[in-house]
Amino acid sequence: MSTTPIIQPGQIEAPSGDIPFIYISPRDNVFRDRAGRLRQLAEGHVMKDFLLFMAELTEAQHAALAVFPKAELPTEAEIKLCREHGMPPLSVQSWPRNTVWQEALKKIIVDVMRTATPATKEILLRLQALDSDALETFATAILAGEFEDVDLGAAPFVAAALQVYWTHMATTLGAQAFGANDISNLCPVCASPPVSSILRIGGAENALRYLCCSVCNTQWHMVRVKCTNCESTKGISYFAIAGSSGAVKAETCEECGTYLKIMQMDKDQYVDPIADDLATLALDLMMDETGKLRSGPNLFLISTSAMAV
Ligand SMILES: [Zn+2]
Ligand SMILES: [Zn+2]
């Protein structure tokens, strides 16, 4: 394990006035690029089969988003009110979720069934047998971060469909619809915790750090050298896997005892908040040994133990 500071404490990025607060990936790219990245990461990886299957699942998300049915969105007045009060208009807790996300789930199941192993097929058939109410209960548990009683094998597929639904809404409304959230470590669009953070390159976002939503794929700005969980600026350290490119590090906080991965586009421009997280599980295992808890979930790999709540 090696530790490398990304920038020195005290080095503050500026100017805040011109910083684009929200970055939303183009609708046509988000899942397709991620699927490509997963395939790239799978090459020669010890978890090759897993990453390739995740690529299939992500490809299915791309296809489901492309034909996503018309779904109700907040009105302009509601969006304005939320912006004025620093509230996420599409909160996973309070937005009246439309069952239309289940259409995406059905499509995803059919798509991934084609190449699934017998064990995964069994999970998919189990999921297909659930009625609409049971799927809503499942979705509510995942979005609330209550993973104790959920079917962990089936959870990635339900999460994948929910990601498609929320990504549909976020990309339809666009970045200009959303303002800053009062709680800076939750997504300003859907109030979910981040899966990881990313140092972006290019355009107005160059060299800025964004937190990446675990549900709707929105990225929102947060200054560097600050814990993404408790906002402490003290006791922040960075750990990378020895011998790696250093494009993915674990950012740890002594104050709250948590970590979240940070991806650097200047070291690898193709890093993806979810794909690169899945491909660096070794880093999670290292953090687990230090007793640090992860502060945000990857919904493709939820666990009931190693999360800070
Ligand atoms: Zn979100
Ligand atoms: Zn902290």
Side-chain angles (χ1 to χ4, degrees):
M1 196 192 306
S2 68
T3 167
T4 325
I6 290 176
I7 59 171
Q8 297 303 317
Q11 205 177 331
I12 302 296
E13 64 196 24
S16 62
D18 299 327
I19 290 174
F21 178 67
I22 285 181
Y23 176 80
I24 297 183
S25 293
R27 181 186 177 96
D28 292 343
N29 294 37
V30 56
F31 293 119
R32 193 180 49 197
D33 288 355
R34 181 167 301 149
R37 176 64 172 175
L38 282 160
R39 287 197 189 94
Q40 188 185 25
L41 291 166
E43 285 296 315
H45 198 287
V46 287
M47 290 166 58
K48 183 177 179 183
D49 290 347
F50 168 73
L51 294 173
L52 287 178
F53 185 69
M54 288 294 121
E56 293 284 323
L57 177 56
T58 308
E59 200 70 64
Q61 287 181 294
H62 175 67
L65 181 59
V67 296
F68 201 86
K70 224 173 159 33
E72 206 170 314
L73 294 165
T75 63
E76 268 191 35
E78 283 168 340
I79 287 173
K80 188 166 174 276
L81 196 70
C82 285
R83 251 202 324 261
E84 282 166 7
H85 294 274
M87 284 168 9
L90 292 166
S91 165
V92 290
Q93 306 303 331
S94 55
W95 170 251
R97 189 173 64 232
N98 191 309
T99 53
V100 74
W101 73 271
Q102 295 183 14
E103 297 300 317
L105 177 62
K106 282 181 194 145
K107 184 166 167 36
I108 288 169
I109 290 174
V110 170
D111 280 4
V112 295
M113 190 80 87
R114 290 192 199 111
T115 53
T117 61
T120 305
K121 269 188 187 144
E122 215 172 281
I123 292 170
L124 294 170
L125 291 172
R126 203 158 72 216
L127 204 45
Q128 265 179 336
L130 294 181
D131 65 18
S132 182
D133 286 351
L135 287 175
E136 290 305 324
T137 305
F138 203 148
T140 299
I142 288 180
L143 295 171
E146 288 164 2
F147 305 140
E148 287 76 13
D149 297 325
V150 305
D151 177 344
L152 291 177
F157 305 102
V158 174
L162 292 168
Q163 285 176 345
V164 171
Y165 172 50
W166 257 277
T167 302
H168 164 75
M169 293 193 288
T171 54
T172 303
L173 291 171
Q176 74 289 343
F178 309 104
N181 185 4
D182 275 352
I183 304 169
S184 60
N185 64 349
L186 294 181
C187 174
V189 173
C190 78
S192 296
V195 57
S196 58
S197 77
I198 192 161
L199 288 180
R200 301 197 56 85
I201 54 167
E205 306 95 36
N206 195 41
L208 299 176
R209 187 258 285 273
Y210 288 77
L211 293 179
C212 309
C213 182
S214 52
V215 175
C216 76
N217 284 298
T218 295
Q219 299 184 7
W220 68 101
H221 179 248
M222 181 180 265
V223 293
R224 294 189 242 167
V225 198
K226 192 174 191 182
C227 171
T228 58
N229 187 52
C230 75
E231 300 199 30
S232 167
T233 50
K234 289 187 219 120
I236 307 293
S237 306
Y238 298 91
F239 297 88
I241 298 168
S244 73
S245 70
V248 182
K249 294 189 176 77
E251 185 179 61
T252 67
C253 172
E254 288 308 321
E255 290 289 310
C256 68
T258 71
Y259 76 95
L260 197 69
K261 287 179 198 164
I262 178 164
M263 327 251 162
Q264 283 183 256
M265 287 176 81
D266 60 333
K267 292 199 185 292
D268 184 337
Q269 62 172 311
Y270 299 112
V271 279
D272 176 87
I274 287 182
D276 283 77
D277 179 42
L278 293 174
T280 52
L281 276 181
L283 200 47
D284 294 279
L285 296 177
M286 283 187 345
M287 290 301 104
D288 196 39
E289 281 171 20
T290 67
K292 295 272 189 306
L293 296 176
R294 222 182 122 115
S295 63
N298 187 323
L299 297 182
F300 283 176
L301 205 67
I302 56 178
S303 121
T304 52
S305 54
M307 278 284 300
V309 180

